[in-house]
Amino acid sequence: MNEFAPPNDDICFALKHSASIEGLAELPEFEHLDPDMVRDLMSEAARFMTDVISPTNRLGDEQGAVLRDGNVVMPEGYRAAYAALIEAGWNRVSAPEEHGGAALPFAIGTVMLEMFGASNMG
C-alpha cells in the first residue's frame, strides 16, 4: 500500500505565492521558468516519489539496514530507487548546468528534497 500522496496543488500555490516563482522568472538566470513548466515539473516529481521512492518506505521499516561483514546492507529496492532518483536528476534540479543540474531556483530544489524525505525518510 502506498501511503504517500504529495499535495501538488498546495506545493504549486506555495511556489507561486511564497517563493514568488513568477518574480524569479523575471531574472536573467531563471528566464526559462514559466508556471506551466513548474506545475508539470512538480507533477512529474510527485509521480516519481509516489511510484518509485515511497514503496520502499515500508520495506525499510520491516527490513532495516544491516551491518554484515563490515558492509551496510540496505533493504530491498533501496539501491534501485536511489539510482533511479539520481538518473532522473531529482537530486540536482537547482544545481548549475555545468554540474549536471537544471539551474532551477533553490526553492524548487528544496521542494524536491522535501518530497524525497516525505516519501521515505530512511
Side-chain angles (χ1 to χ4, degrees), residues 41-71:
L41 181 70
M42 294 299 108
S43 294
E44 183 56 26
R47 184 210 55 79
F48 180 87
M49 298 302 174
T50 299
D51 294 349
V52 178
I53 302 299
S54 183
T56 63
N57 193 34
R58 183 173 304 277
L59 290 170
D61 291 342
E62 293 171 350
Q63 297 174 9
V66 178
L67 183 63
R68 187 175 299 135
D69 300 323
N71 296 306

Side-chain angles (χ1 to χ4, degrees), residues 96-121:
E97 290 177 2
E98 60 266 22
H99 297 291
L104 295 174
F106 185 70
I108 292 176
T110 301
V111 170
M112 295 303 127
L113 289 173
E114 179 62 25
M115 279 191 195
F116 183 49
S119 63
N120 184 342
M121 184 56 75

